[in-house]
Amino acid sequence: MWKKTRDFLDKLTPAQVITSYYLLAVTVSVLLLRLPGVHKPGVKVDFIDTVFTAISAVSVTGLSVVNISETYSVFGYFVIMAILQFGGVGIMAIGTFFWMILGRKIGLRSRKLIMVDHNQFALSGLVHLIREIIKIIFLIELIGALVLGFHFLNYYPSWEDAMLHGLFASISATTNGGMDITGNSLVPYAGDYFVQLINIILITLGAIGFPVLIEVKQYLFRKREEQEIPFRFTLFTKLTTLTFAGLLVVGTIIILVFEFQHYLKGLTWHKSFFYAFFQSATTRSGGLSTMDVSDFSMPTLLVMSLMMFIGASPSSVGGGIRTTTFALNILFVYHFAKGKMDVKIFNRELHHNDIMKSLVITILATIMCFTSVVLISITDSQHELIEIIFEVCSAFGTTGLSMGITAELSDFGKCILMILMFIGRIGLTSFLFIIGGKEQKANYHYPKERVIIG
Amino acid sequence: MWKKTRDFLDKLTPAQVITSYYLLAVTVSVLLLRLPGVHKPGVKVDFIDTVFTAISAVSVTGLSVVNISETYSVFGYFVIMAILQFGGVGIMAIGTFFWMILGRKIGLRSRKLIMVDHNQFALSGLVHLIREIIKIIFLIELIGALVLGFHFLNYYPSWEDAMLHGLFASISATTNGGMDITGNSLVPYAGDYFVQLINIILITLGAIGFPVLIEVKQYLFRKREEQEIPFRFTLFTKLTTLTFAGLLVVGTIIILVFEFQHYLKGLTWHKSFFYAFFQSATTRSGGLSTMDVSDFSMPTLLVMSLMMFIGASPSSVGGGIRTTTFALNILFVYHFAKGKMDVKIFNRELHHNDIMKSLVITILATIMCFTSVVLISITDSQHELIEIIFEVCSAFGTTGLSMGITAELSDFGKCILMILMFIGRIGLTSFLFIIGGKEQKANYHYPKERVIIG
Ligand SMILES: [K+]
Ligand SMILES: [K+]
């Protein structure tokens, strides 16, 4: 019996493992969210809304059909924090693990051997990695909770309230859960730049990708004798960090320019800057906001939709097509327009397979989101087109920003968003391998370096 | 002097020749449209609107800032018909010529020799090809004009009026010009299925791509002894024809389904069918319509925008990313999802370079249209998002269907549409080579067959 189970597990592809984990997590979450005492006294939640909340929390999206602070009890808050942990950190851990196993420069055959026969090794690797990830993320969350908690003593009368808000805010930001118990996201702290900065840092640490965190840790804690030789960050880390920073800066500038004469009109320069800066940072995958995004003008909403569609780094708590996919697209289009077929960056050359993959993922994601918009515009025709586009991109990017229509959507519309959150979270690459049912045939005969996509 | 000019011409890339021709045609058209007697007595047209009309006619888009029947005299009608000819047929001829020269299975070196030293050969080939194209298109137009002209005797009291309407309608349909002198597109013939069928046939013959017409002609007029061996159509012809037919059928079905309970409610089945069929066919690049498209519901308008974005065949009178680009995208995404990197179809394998090209063109076109929508939504914020999306896709696909906002756009908005019509018409591939300034490095060492893209 145990042998059979192990044989079965051995045959699972990474995509199948991630999907199974996701579906199991959703099931457990639904059960947890139906426990007695989870809701505030007298509150009833429809089953589909519980499922939606569970999927939204497991995929760390944060789109909400209910107001958390009005619906759930303090016990419920803790349940949601737990779900955010195993949704955000769990899937990140599994994704990172498989990337590290598959990313080693070993032949397909020996890799298969490692995966199938030596699964003791793989399992111990997984355990070690998950422990590492949990250690780092918990440390970040703990520091975040303490910093925010002490600061919140300025806002909340009781010690417990301040710490609860600090803890929830820290976990929601670090896992990019995007949920809130203030009842109105971070709008109460719209004038508090300290809270916003801490949130941006926590969101970024969660969304930048776990391989980056590991490498930075290795860089900071390397032994003295190693400090002689220059530390080499991987191409993945350089590319995803640069793209991340680029999107943050460009997003901030675009919001400032587009809203200068509109939402930001008459505000001080620092208030304008922080509105633009925070709303740019949160599109990566955070989903928290310091204002009602539906007050932005059409051009800004379109650009924010695109930025949510791009999403966060691979092997992170975020979704979307991923920063590296976007970077490879831009790099290849640029090189192609100049007549070159090979993409060189940071003294490395990109794999053609990776480029193809990034192009396909982008096109497929575009088709998927377009189809979703069309379908929702059939059943929920009372809503504006931009509202539907924004909500669809938010779900696919597992961002969770909302123009406020999610709760009003038909059950069909909610189902579409749930599917998008699922695919956005596990990544289109994984999703493709579930459908295709086949493992990726990696190509090892180029002297190039691999980059994670989608 | 003549030597110098020839040397200069020899050095031009195909993309530069097409662009030069386009810009020359626009300049001549602007001059022609400012001739005395072109306008109806007492009508004044702004210069930017003349430029817009010229570009719209040269790119055979048909988007209009003025009502042709109210603005231009009969002399003006003939000027417009002439512009549609050298816009539609001229660019198609040059594009086809270069494809045929570059498509021959000869080494890069001997091809360069042909292009540079033996340009006598190339020139005579060009002259022959242009003559061939003009012969076929004129024949189609003549038959169309006579058939429509005689039929229009039912509508117009005088012989001259009927023939003028027949000629203009035939040229507008065959060149996919999409312009009308009825004052209201084909709406007056919304109940006349014969006129609609003839228009669909003419539009299709113009938009299906000239290589297809040549091959069909070769097939029909081959000698008796050749009829023994089965005729082999090229992969390009098979692919573009199948895609064309597929889009027509799928478009018709989608419009029928989406508008069944909306625009088509209460209509007879044949009237419903023809509304759906004609509006599906016209999105390829025709631009004529039998109803006010803005009466369609949101989902239909979104799908029509996508279909216009896809556009017509390469080497045709149409625009967009082109049918083959779309087909290669879908084929590769499908194969990729099944874990295969090679695309086999019709017993042929596609070039990897072509696939890359098709993916890049699609992504670049998407970025371009998205940026255009954002920019227009800044300057023309009084319009609905779907109206802007629809008009942008219509311009890029050189389709010319309109939700009616083109005439109301700001000068900036009109400029964006003019740029889109230009790029859509010459094709993104050509456009890229203008920017990059380099010729495509074709890859000849695969035993595969080439397909034209974008
Ligand atoms: K989120
Ligand atoms: K047209």
Side-chain angles (χ1 to χ4, degrees):
Chain A
M1 185 62 203
W2 166 241
K3 175 97 180 50
K4 257 193 181 164
T5 317
R6 226 190 58 184
D7 281 357
F8 173 73
L9 283 173
D10 282 348
K11 273 177 206 132
L12 289 177
T13 61
Q16 286 165 334
V17 173
I18 292 179
T19 311
S20 312
Y21 178 82
Y22 185 95
L23 295 178
L24 183 71
V26 169
T27 313
V28 172
S29 302
V30 170
L31 294 176
L32 285 175
L33 288 173
R34 303 300 283 188
L35 282 180
V38 158
H39 300 114
K40 278 206 158 59
V43 174
K44 279 276 301 166
V45 176
D46 285 345
F47 186 69
I48 186 163
D49 291 339
T50 302
V51 174
F52 195 96
T53 307
I55 290 182
S56 184
V58 169
S59 67
V60 286
T61 303
L63 277 177
S64 212
V65 287
V66 297
N67 186 316
I68 304 221
S69 65
E70 291 167 9
T71 311
Y72 293 99
S73 66
V74 172
F75 172 55
Y77 293 172
F78 278 93
V79 167
I80 289 174
M81 284 190 268
I83 299 175
L84 291 179
Q85 295 290 3
F86 55 80
V89 184
I91 291 174
M92 176 162 82
I94 301 174
T96 310
F97 169 72
F98 280 113
W99 181 67
M100 298 191 98
I101 291 285
L102 299 176
R104 280 168 211 274
K105 276 183 184 142
I106 44 175
L108 191 69
R109 208 188 205 164
S110 43
R111 193 198 317 154
K112 272 215 167 148
L113 285 175
I114 290 177
M115 294 292 291
V116 179
D117 294 333
H118 299 225
N119 82 330
Q120 218 55 42
F121 164 79
L123 273 177
S124 78
L126 179 59
V127 170
H128 174 76
L129 188 89
I130 289 183
R131 207 184 291 145
E132 182 91 339
I133 288 185
I134 291 176
K135 249 165 57 186
I136 294 185
I137 295 292
F138 273 22
L139 188 68
I140 294 170
E141 284 174 345
L142 182 68
I143 296 173
L146 289 173
V147 172
L148 288 175
F150 278 108
H151 186 76
F152 284 161
L153 287 171
N154 301 321
Y155 290 85
Y156 303 96
S158 83
W159 185 262
E160 290 87 0
D161 260 12
M163 284 301 156
L164 179 64
H165 273 85
L167 184 65
F168 197 96
S170 175
I171 290 178
S172 178
T174 311
T175 61
N176 278 232
M179 293 180 162
D180 64 86
I181 54 172
T182 65
N184 198 8
S185 203
L186 294 188
V187 177
Y189 315 113
D192 190 330
Y193 304 150
F194 179 74
V195 172
Q196 292 177 46
L197 262 181
I198 298 294
N199 266 283
I200 290 175
I201 293 170
L202 296 177
I203 287 172
T204 304
L205 289 174
I208 195 104
F210 193 70
V212 177
L213 296 184
I214 288 188
E215 279 182 43
V216 170
K217 192 189 150 202
Q218 284 170 348
Y219 172 77
L220 293 176
F221 297 99
R222 69 211 148 124
K223 297 184 195 106
R224 191 156 297 167
E225 61 265 30
E226 288 172 348
Q227 293 181 6
E228 307 289 313
I229 14 164
F231 189 86
R232 208 186 74 76
F233 286 100
T234 58
L235 179 61
F236 167 71
T237 290
K238 288 177 190 162
L239 208 54
T240 196
T241 310
L242 189 74
T243 313
F244 212 100
L247 287 171
L248 184 60
V249 172
V250 171
T252 306
I253 293 172
I254 288 182
I255 296 176
L256 278 175
V257 171
F258 285 4
E259 297 299 325
F260 180 62
Q261 289 295 331
H262 185 253
Y263 185 80
L264 304 176
K265 199 168 185 171
L267 296 184
T268 57
W269 70 266
H270 47 87
K271 190 127 188 158
S272 297
F273 172 78
F274 263 90
Y275 270 129
F277 188 52
F278 192 89
Q279 261 60 236
S280 171
T282 199
T283 55
R284 216 54 316 96
S285 163
L288 296 160
S289 59
T290 59
M291 40 85 65
D292 182 354
V293 287
S294 55
D295 287 341
F296 275 148
S297 63
M298 181 71 78
T300 310
L301 293 169
L302 284 169
V303 171
M304 284 179 78
S305 300
L306 173 65
M307 294 194 34
M308 295 192 292
F309 175 81
I310 295 169
S313 300
S315 295
S316 77
V317 294
I321 60 169
R322 313 296 200 235
T323 49
T324 43
T325 307
F326 174 71
L328 259 61
N329 272 289
I330 298 299
L331 285 171
F332 185 65
V333 167
Y334 174 76
H335 280 75
F336 186 87
K338 295 188 81 178
K340 295 173 200 160
M341 290 301 275
D342 299 315
V343 179
K344 291 177 184 70
I345 182 138
F346 295 125
N347 298 318
R348 284 288 180 282
E349 204 174 303
L350 296 173
H351 271 274
H352 263 259
N353 271 10
D354 284 338
I355 293 172
M356 296 277 251
K357 209 171 131 185
S358 78
L359 296 171
V360 168
I361 283 173
T362 307
I363 286 175
L364 201 59
T366 310
I367 295 173
M368 218 177 57
C369 288
F370 178 82
T371 310
S372 304
V373 170
V374 171
L375 291 176
I376 295 178
S377 74
I378 297 175
T379 53
D380 297 80
S381 54
Q382 76 277 24
H383 297 298
E384 302 265 324
L385 179 58
I386 184 63
E387 293 174 330
I388 298 172
I389 293 174
F390 195 89
E391 230 77 358
V392 160
C393 289
S394 179
F396 176 68
T398 68
T399 318
L401 287 173
S402 174
M403 288 184 68
I405 68 164
T406 295
E408 297 162 27
L409 285 181
S410 62
D411 285 356
F412 177 80
K414 286 177 189 167
C415 285
I416 298 274
L417 292 189
M418 287 191 253
I419 295 168
L420 285 172
M421 289 190 273
F422 165 65
I423 298 175
R425 183 68 185 102
I426 67 164
L428 257 173
T429 322
S430 298
F431 181 68
L432 283 184
F433 292 131
I434 303 166
I435 299 179
K438 271 171 201 163
E439 238 190 352
Q440 185 194 11
K441 279 173 216 133
N443 217 336
Y444 285 92
H445 54 270
Y446 301 126
K448 300 169 187 172
E449 198 184 25
R450 293 206 71 93
V451 161
I452 324 171
I453 298 165
Chain B
M1 184 61 203
W2 166 243
K3 174 94 181 50
K4 258 192 179 165
T5 317
R6 228 190 58 184
D7 280 357
F8 174 72
L9 284 174
D10 282 349
K11 273 174 206 135
L12 289 177
T13 62
Q16 286 165 333
V17 173
I18 291 179
T19 310
S20 311
Y21 179 83
Y22 185 95
L23 296 177
L24 184 72
V26 168
T27 312
V28 171
S29 303
V30 170
L31 294 176
L32 286 175
L33 288 172
R34 304 301 281 187
L35 283 181
V38 158
H39 300 113
K40 276 206 161 56
V43 174
K44 281 273 302 163
V45 176
D46 285 345
F47 186 69
I48 187 163
D49 290 338
T50 302
V51 174
F52 194 95
T53 308
I55 290 181
S56 183
V58 169
S59 66
V60 288
T61 303
L63 277 178
S64 213
V65 286
V66 296
N67 186 314
I68 305 229
S69 65
E70 291 167 10
T71 310
Y72 293 99
S73 64
V74 173
F75 172 53
Y77 292 173
F78 277 94
V79 167
I80 289 174
M81 283 190 267
I83 299 175
L84 291 179
Q85 295 291 2
F86 56 77
V89 184
I91 292 174
M92 176 162 79
I94 301 176
T96 311
F97 169 71
F98 280 114
W99 181 67
M100 297 191 97
I101 290 287
L102 299 176
R104 281 169 210 275
K105 277 184 182 143
I106 45 177
L108 192 67
R109 207 186 207 166
S110 43
R111 193 199 316 153
K112 271 214 167 150
L113 285 177
I114 290 176
M115 293 294 290
V116 179
D117 294 332
H118 300 224
N119 80 329
Q120 220 55 43
F121 164 79
L123 273 177
S124 79
L126 178 59
V127 169
H128 173 76
L129 188 89
I130 290 183
R131 208 185 290 146
E132 182 91 338
I133 289 186
I134 291 177
K135 249 165 57 189
I136 294 185
I137 296 292
F138 273 22
L139 187 69
I140 294 171
E141 285 174 346
L142 182 70
I143 296 172
L146 290 174
V147 171
L148 287 175
F150 279 108
H151 186 77
F152 283 162
L153 288 172
N154 300 321
Y155 290 86
Y156 303 97
S158 83
W159 185 263
E160 291 88 359
D161 260 12
M163 284 302 155
L164 179 65
H165 273 85
L167 184 66
F168 197 97
S170 174
I171 290 178
S172 179
T174 311
T175 62
N176 278 231
M179 292 180 163
D180 64 86
I181 54 172
T182 65
N184 198 8
S185 203
L186 293 188
V187 177
Y189 315 114
D192 189 331
Y193 304 150
F194 179 74
V195 171
Q196 292 178 45
L197 263 182
I198 298 292
N199 266 283
I200 290 175
I201 293 170
L202 295 177
I203 287 171
T204 305
L205 289 175
I208 194 100
F210 194 70
V212 177
L213 296 185
I214 288 188
E215 279 182 44
V216 171
K217 192 190 148 200
Q218 283 170 348
Y219 173 75
L220 293 176
F221 296 99
R222 71 211 147 122
K223 297 186 195 101
R224 191 156 298 167
E225 62 265 29
E226 288 173 348
Q227 291 180 7
E228 306 291 312
I229 14 162
F231 188 87
R232 207 187 75 75
F233 287 100
T234 59
L235 179 61
F236 167 71
T237 290
K238 288 177 189 161
L239 208 53
T240 196
T241 309
L242 189 74
T243 313
F244 211 101
L247 287 171
L248 183 61
V249 172
V250 171
T252 306
I253 293 172
I254 288 182
I255 296 176
L256 277 175
V257 171
F258 284 5
E259 298 299 325
F260 179 62
Q261 288 296 331
H262 185 253
Y263 185 79
L264 304 176
K265 199 167 185 171
L267 297 184
T268 58
W269 69 266
H270 46 88
K271 190 128 187 155
S272 297
F273 172 78
F274 263 90
Y275 270 129
F277 188 51
F278 193 89
Q279 261 60 236
S280 171
T282 199
T283 55
R284 215 57 312 97
S285 160
L288 296 160
S289 59
T290 59
M291 39 84 65
D292 182 353
V293 286
S294 55
D295 287 341
F296 275 148
S297 63
M298 181 70 78
T300 309
L301 293 168
L302 285 168
V303 171
M304 283 179 78
S305 300
L306 173 65
M307 294 194 34
M308 295 192 292
F309 175 81
I310 296 169
S313 299
S315 296
S316 77
V317 294
I321 59 169
R322 314 294 201 237
T323 49
T324 44
T325 307
F326 174 71
L328 259 63
N329 273 290
I330 298 299
L331 284 171
F332 186 65
V333 167
Y334 175 76
H335 279 77
F336 187 88
K338 294 188 80 175
K340 295 174 200 161
M341 290 300 275
D342 299 314
V343 179
K344 291 179 185 68
I345 181 136
F346 294 125
N347 296 319
R348 285 288 178 282
E349 204 173 304
L350 295 173
H351 271 273
H352 263 259
N353 270 11
D354 284 337
I355 294 172
M356 296 277 253
K357 210 171 131 186
S358 78
L359 296 171
V360 168
I361 283 173
T362 306
I363 286 175
L364 201 59
T366 309
I367 295 174
M368 218 176 59
C369 288
F370 178 81
T371 310
S372 303
V373 170
V374 171
L375 291 176
I376 295 179
S377 75
I378 297 174
T379 54
D380 297 80
S381 54
Q382 76 277 23
H383 297 297
E384 301 264 324
L385 179 58
I386 184 65
E387 293 173 331
I388 298 173
I389 293 174
F390 195 89
E391 229 77 358
V392 160
C393 289
S394 178
F396 176 68
T398 69
T399 317
L401 287 173
S402 174
M403 288 184 68
I405 69 164
T406 294
E408 297 161 29
L409 285 181
S410 63
D411 285 356
F412 178 79
K414 286 176 189 169
C415 285
I416 299 272
L417 292 189
M418 287 191 254
I419 295 169
L420 285 173
M421 289 191 272
F422 165 65
I423 298 175
R425 183 68 186 101
I426 68 163
L428 257 174
T429 322
S430 296
F431 181 69
L432 283 183
F433 291 132
I434 302 167
I435 300 178
K438 272 170 201 163
E439 239 190 350
Q440 185 192 9
K441 281 172 215 133
N443 217 335
Y444 285 91
H445 54 269
Y446 301 127
K448 301 169 187 171
E449 199 185 23
R450 293 206 72 92
V451 161
I452 325 172
I453 298 164

